[in-house]
Amino acid sequence: MLFERIESKGLAHYSYLLGDSTQALVIDPRRDVDVYVQKAIQAGLRIRYIMETHRNEDYIVGSLELAARTGAEIWHADAQWDYQYGQAAADGQTWKLDRLTLQAIHSPGHTPGSMSYLLRDHTGAPWALFSGDALFAGDVGRVDFMGTDQLENMAGQLYDTIFHKFLPLGDGILLCPAHGAGSVCGSGIADRVWTTLGLELQINPRLQHDSRASFIAEVGRDMEKVPYFAQMEQQNLAGPALLHNLPLPPRLTAEEFARQAQEALVLDTRLELGFASAHVPGALSIWLEGVPSFGGWFLPYDRPLLLVNETGDPTRAVRYLIRMGYDNLAGTLAGGMLAWHTAGYKSASIPTVTVQQLCHLLDEHGEPWILDVRSEQEVAQNEIPEAHNIHLTQLPQRKNEVPRDRPVYVFCGSGLRAMIGASLLRQKGWDNATVVLGGLAGWSSHSCPLDLE
Amino acid sequence: MLFERIESKGLAHYSYLLGDSTQALVIDPRRDVDVYVQKAIQAGLRIRYIMETHRNEDYIVGSLELAARTGAEIWHADAQWDYQYGQAAADGQTWKLDRLTLQAIHSPGHTPGSMSYLLRDHTGAPWALFSGDALFAGDVGRVDFMGTDQLENMAGQLYDTIFHKFLPLGDGILLCPAHGAGSVCGSGIADRVWTTLGLELQINPRLQHDSRASFIAEVGRDMEKVPYFAQMEQQNLAGPALLHNLPLPPRLTAEEFARQAQEALVLDTRLELGFASAHVPGALSIWLEGVPSFGGWFLPYDRPLLLVNETGDPTRAVRYLIRMGYDNLAGTLAGGMLAWHTAGYKSASIPTVTVQQLCHLLDEHGEPWILDVRSEQEVAQNEIPEAHNIHLTQLPQRKNEVPRDRPVYVFCGSGLRAMIGASLLRQKGWDNATVVLGGLAGWSSHSCPLDLE
Amino acid sequence: MLFERIESKGLAHYSYLLGDSTQALVIDPRRDVDVYVQKAIQAGLRIRYIMETHRNEDYIVGSLELAARTGAEIWHADAQWDYQYGQAAADGQTWKLDRLTLQAIHSPGHTPGSMSYLLRDHTGAPWALFSGDALFAGDVGRVDFMGTDQLENMAGQLYDTIFHKFLPLGDGILLCPAHGAGSVCGSGIADRVWTTLGLELQINPRLQHDSRASFIAEVGRDMEKVPYFAQMEQQNLAGPALLHNLPLPPRLTAEEFARQAQEALVLDTRLELGFASAHVPGALSIWLEGVPSFGGWFLPYDRPLLLVNETGDPTRAVRYLIRMGYDNLAGTLAGGMLAWHTAGYKSASIPTVTVQQLCHLLDEHGEPWILDVRSEQEVAQNEIPEAHNIHLTQLPQRKNEVPRDRPVYVFCGSGLRAMIGASLLRQKGWDNATVVLGGLAGWSSHSCPLDLE
Amino acid sequence: MLFERIESKGLAHYSYLLGDSTQALVIDPRRDVDVYVQKAIQAGLRIRYIMETHRNEDYIVGSLELAARTGAEIWHADAQWDYQYGQAAADGQTWKLDRLTLQAIHSPGHTPGSMSYLLRDHTGAPWALFSGDALFAGDVGRVDFMGTDQLENMAGQLYDTIFHKFLPLGDGILLCPAHGAGSVCGSGIADRVWTTLGLELQINPRLQHDSRASFIAEVGRDMEKVPYFAQMEQQNLAGPALLHNLPLPPRLTAEEFARQAQEALVLDTRLELGFASAHVPGALSIWLEGVPSFGGWFLPYDRPLLLVNETGDPTRAVRYLIRMGYDNLAGTLAGGMLAWHTAGYKSASIPTVTVQQLCHLLDEHGEPWILDVRSEQEVAQNEIPEAHNIHLTQLPQRKNEVPRDRPVYVFCGSGLRAMIGASLLRQKGWDNATVVLGGLAGWSSHSCPLDLE
């Protein structure tokens, strides 16, 4: 038997590859499908079915790509929408995989037509539940995608799904959601890598309600909707373009890169320290592992992207980008910043300070303007007095709250997001931002008083 | 967080690699430890602890090898025995792994000093139980290792461990045993790749008892004790020899191979069909994936082993053999049987028949002598009338029950074990064995009457 | 600098990947182009040019596939033909690759418009010659593709190319041909993996002529033209179908396989011994590594192919087949012959004898009919008296020379090709063929008199 | 046939793996021998011989390590020294490798007892020469290891070796030296990846002499002797410690790292830009790919080394270090500089300027103190007027020539070596060094006048 969870890092997206003696299926495949094809071949299995739990909004679904490679059947949830490929799964419908059975369970709440899938073994005993975005480890799905007027309705449906359909299956059922910790689809997802209905019933804070009404009143809403979601929804309905292979962009000489950079957006995926020292003027900083989480907020679809990285191998960045539909990657800087400098091009830099240096500065100059780009939740847990909080994702809209005429110290948890923020400000004309290395973690570890007054 | 199960195929041995942000531990490592070292490095973790659930009897424990590579601490269970390395874990003792906690639970039954380990997350909530050989998916541990007079005692201890220590932890707890389906440590282990206490309570046939007495009366005993177990126990107490690397044996020319084969046992790991056509005279047939299950029954420790395979790459066979302490692999036949034949050496063959051919033969000649080498359990499920059942593992002792003066047709489920049996008989001087291809499965699929009369 | 030769085993086809600091080019790419793309990425290079030395007839050129993946320019030789894609290289034309220069040299003989490419380093010093099919290690290109009436003309052109264009470049020039030992494009290619013009001048037997006339009189002609060559020529002119990925065929259950096998040809790529014991009735035996050499002789393009192998992973077989344009692979037998037998299907077998057994048979029964399927060259070197020689590739046409009414013993060098021959005969209704294991090599190693009289 | 060159990057060391049908040998293996073992297994070959061309001084020879893994015989050159393992090869001695023959040729010059090995194919024709450090592509071996008084003597021996033993073998012989471009064993080695005796005769500048005397007068001497050479020589004579596996160092938390850093030297292998922004105070900067070339100059053997890198995977750094005998790597900083900062530790930085910024500074402030750390050869090719040249390797001894009281701008070809230099100065108390990004290459590409006056 084959039972593998394949995680797409950063998106914290979980897909599942199930197989018995000869056949396999994939639940919620991602767009770069080579991993499924390869693992199935190695296990001697043929992928027959592709199951979707809902129309995803946070990544490009790989169903069409995988079907093109394997001939597998695509089964959609959310049949209320107008899919232009595949077929709709029906509540209660079953699929056989040699001795295993998969059964669809209509589980509305996150979307009206969400489907979960219950896996039964050869004795018919239920065993694992693929819950899509309805129930996670430590959290439940958000219910705000259908609009504000539908919040209560959807939250109620989600309550019924979880409490009347899922939990009665038994505490011992293995719970296999579509996302893990770090996903934008659930702010409180725990990093238990495997969980069960019983564990969730006991320790998931969202399930500790004594009434349907109190669940409805508190459940995930008013969450941020990442700009690229609209793009994903549309592509996932129409059927995304087939890639066949990872579309590796051309490697450009410094000269070609400089020429194309006049039109394109330069994305620099190095860590914050290298970016601080020197970067292509106008570049946006998002460290590589932050691209799945932050790329969708700041990267355009209608303008070419150019890439700067450390190693020269863009493979991982390309995976991250095409999973969000960024097929507009036009090139990478061959030889990295070293090539840029040896070709004699100007670079820009962004100042940094360690926490110790900041303490000295504050002692001497007083009245700093501190920009805290952490989320409201993070701020609530550990506030910096006198700091101005603008969540990183809001910075483009709220940038004018940031002064231009005195030093601005940008804080986050570690320095990585602060550098994104500083590079955004720099793009818009602010040249007075300094990034605090180590961020609040460094601050907390250090003796300089947290209270800046 | 890192939570990986590493399976040693064939042995159906499960080890676990757990890690949080900086540290990792391994539970019941196998002897070829490169997999743990590699995965920890990739995840950015340092292996700090090596935990054993009991003194294993079915494979060489890799604790010393892993400690030599990583500097990790070894924690033994079964402290009643005289380990010559590492330290003894105590009931209730805990180990921190960054935010995670592992807690030892004394869980006697399979052995007197077996330990299980309960994993708690950063909130202290229990989450997963590493149950060693006490409780499996669909089965419980065997209790016959301490001798017949201890059967009731040990079975009672196992009952208490499972019913009074494990199950009260909650249905939702993830159950992580030391073996999966196919292990000799539990004949009825199910192939649910992940399971929970709740699932086992509900569907594990060994737990469906209404009294401690009925559990004791039925629980696993009189199971076969594979000959190599004694060797494993001794080595695991004293500390197995360090390997550092897979000890790849020299590739021998046909001439060298033929010379050494006068002293050594030749193990041929090809599939049954190639072996049937031609093999080095005197060779024992065990197809590659059968080596972990059957090698320990038939391979000597005190005589060199020589290997014939299909591909020339002995890596997998070496892994299988050293996991059982067979460090006496003296060489492989470079170029395989083709090289043997082109060097002009004689080969032997073993006749085969398809089920159709057998039907014809039976029709014409009647009175066949059919040797069924399947286990009693298998025979009980699907009997061949008039067949003589000698379980493959008993064949060396009971070979004299097999006639020498008329055709013997050897059956198993598929033909693979039948070929082991035929090669054993041939080694001992029986030259009248014919293997039935497809075995009982082929027979059942076919119209020739199962009832041979 | 990057300078790699990529060999396609079996075809003994050599392609080359050259690169300097930022750019790379590929000479004569094969159809499965992932290797070039991967290596160039790893080396930090962009593939800019695809160079062809001639219109290949023995494999599908990967130029279009590689251009589709990389955007590289395709440069053809043999501009006299009507290529439907790419551009024609001109004699003397040069391409820059950072500091390196590649220069085209018109080198007719094998084809009228063959091009070789001379590589010069940054000082302009000539360094390596990519000679296509004009000059090999130990052999020269064949000159018989343009028809019998052009033989002298083409041979003369080849002489001029080698003696007046190549050799004057200097003994020290590295020679990089398009084929190595084992290719059908040159029967006498040596297995020196690297060679030079000086070495060839000195030891290549084809270059030891004291006159143009004697070269012309002896040079490669009347060589076998493999049936699939016509297909290759046509596809390489028109532009082969794009694959994007290896087209892995579906894994079929024994039932599906049996049904499709009524129409399809079954290709069994296991070694000769497994095939001998049991195979799907009607299957053609070609051991895996023999597929590139013998597939093109016996496999149809207009009928589906089904595959039986040992391991279940068809990747290598698929590579071999699509390189020859066999895009008609319809499926593989999931679980191999074991699955076939356990499903109760009938299999066929082909008898084998060792050389020792054959000696005994000959002694007892006399008058054997021995079929030697080796080539005329091989037979000339080491003849079996009384054997009937029909080269394997001629067997379909000359099968009626083989008697049906008495035992036929099929010989080759080792037994592998003999099994191809025996399976061909069996397909056509001969059921009296026995394969001699070890073949002539075994015979020669053994005391049984070579002289059968 | 197997013929592979294995390059150790950075050291530019070439070793060779040769094999025929069953046996293989390795010439001048490196210490991390897994590559040879793996490739031989894949090719179906057994490594029988380990051949050394001379007692190496620039890396730890892997002969003992490889012998321990494979049982191969070790054959030394330089038998005048007292090897404590292996046997001495004799001039003219031959070894058979199936059909191939390897013949030793005494070839003194670089060392008194250097051996080269001539490979002959099955016909006996000479084919390739493994020339050790006697003759390279574009250069010859240095002759200054035996001391100044032996310079003429050794140079004369080298002349005789090359002109009287090597070149007479014929222009077409493939030349396989022990080093490629970038090695400290020959300053002018060309980056032709393959070469021949004929090519060298024609274009190697060291061979363009019309007399033995003029060769002697000019040949490589007074070259830098890297400090670690003495260590290598000693270990290679005595037999280096066996590693068995790559000794991966423990991953340390920031706290552990900080504590150990009080005694240890911190080696930071990140690129120059990240190091510039922030590094552990006191750290030495050597970018990863520079470690083989520069590590031996600046790293101690008698003090623990701690490692900071970008990715957390120290594998490559460990390979580089153990090849030079640095078995004293005590740990790596888990989580890299981000972990350092989030733990609240202070970091240091080194200022950088782009060439444009430098121009402005020069215009405004005049009288810069420019430190050019390039080699004399590089300076000779492209001098910076007014710059002070101290080759990087001389900086520890000549640091007092650098002023402390005004800005010092450190130049090299690109900025990488300049950062090594700046970090060395910083360690010794200079805090006034600024690194010029892009170095002279950037400068040359830019309009700012090269003439600084």
Side-chain angles (χ1 to χ4, degrees), chain D residues 111-189:
Chain D
T111 61
S114 287
M115 286 285 170
S116 298
Y117 299 97
L118 181 66
L119 180 66
R120 295 175 187 275
D121 74 8
H122 66 287
T123 69
W127 171 33
L129 177 69
F130 300 92
S131 58
D133 278 14
L135 177 59
F136 304 116
D139 205 349
V140 299
R142 56 195 293 186
V143 295
D144 58 350
F145 281 154
M146 305 308 293
T148 314
D149 56 337
Q150 290 296 311
L151 268 177
E152 283 206 15
N153 176 17
M154 298 309 289
Q157 291 190 29
L158 187 62
Y159 180 89
D160 296 337
T161 289
I162 295 174
F163 283 84
H164 297 154
K165 292 187 169 179
F166 288 177
L167 295 179
L169 293 168
D171 285 3
I173 299 294
L174 204 65
L175 178 69
C176 300
H179 283 288
S183 167
V184 289
C185 297
S187 60
I189 299 182

Side-chain angles (χ1 to χ4, degrees), chain A residues 158-363:
Chain A
L158 186 63
Y159 180 89
D160 297 337
T161 289
I162 295 174
F163 282 84
H164 297 155
K165 293 187 170 179
F166 287 178
L167 295 179
L169 293 169
D171 284 4
I173 299 292
L174 204 66
L175 178 68
C176 300
H179 283 289
S183 167
V184 290
C185 297
S187 59
I189 300 181
D191 72 348
R192 286 188 290 284
V193 292
W194 291 100
T195 191
T196 63
L197 287 178
L199 281 175
E200 294 310 312
L201 177 59
Q202 190 184 349
I203 60 181
N204 186 327
R206 302 290 194 165
L207 303 191
Q208 312 309 315
H209 290 277
D210 50 10
S211 76
R212 190 173 189 272
S214 78
F215 177 91
I216 290 174
E218 286 191 11
V219 82
R221 55 181 62 181
D222 296 332
M223 292 174 64
E224 291 180 318
K225 195 158 179 200
V226 190
Y228 80 107
F229 278 17
Q231 181 86 9
M232 295 302 91
E233 291 173 359
Q234 189 181 345
Q235 289 198 29
N236 284 337
L237 267 183
L242 288 180
L243 294 178
H244 301 301
N245 289 289
L246 273 193
L248 294 173
R251 303 176 61 80
L252 307 179
T253 62
E255 288 73 18
E256 288 176 281
F257 194 91
R259 194 176 47 70
Q260 293 197 29
Q262 292 170 0
E263 301 298 326
L265 178 78
V266 175
L267 170 64
D268 190 321
T269 63
R270 293 176 298 152
L271 287 177
E272 84 287 16
L273 295 179
F275 188 87
S277 273
H279 53 266
V280 173
L284 177 68
S285 166
I286 308 180
W287 85 103
L288 181 58
E289 298 308 325
V291 169
S293 303
F294 296 103
W297 286 96
F298 306 122
L299 297 176
Y301 285 97
D302 56 358
R303 199 176 149 194
L305 299 177
L306 291 175
L307 192 71
V308 175
N309 65 9
E310 198 80 90
T311 65
D313 184 346
T315 307
R316 188 175 299 188
V318 172
R319 285 191 190 272
Y320 289 167
L321 291 169
I322 59 106
R323 286 176 191 163
M324 297 185 290
Y326 289 105
D327 298 358
N328 52 333
L329 190 51
T332 63
L333 176 56
M337 287 306 296
L338 197 67
W340 184 261
H341 286 131
T342 54
Y345 285 100
K346 258 190 283 196
S347 58
S349 63
I350 284 182
T352 58
V353 287
T354 62
V355 167
Q356 287 83 357
Q357 291 166 325
L358 180 58
C359 288
H360 283 294
L361 289 168
L362 297 181
D363 286 350

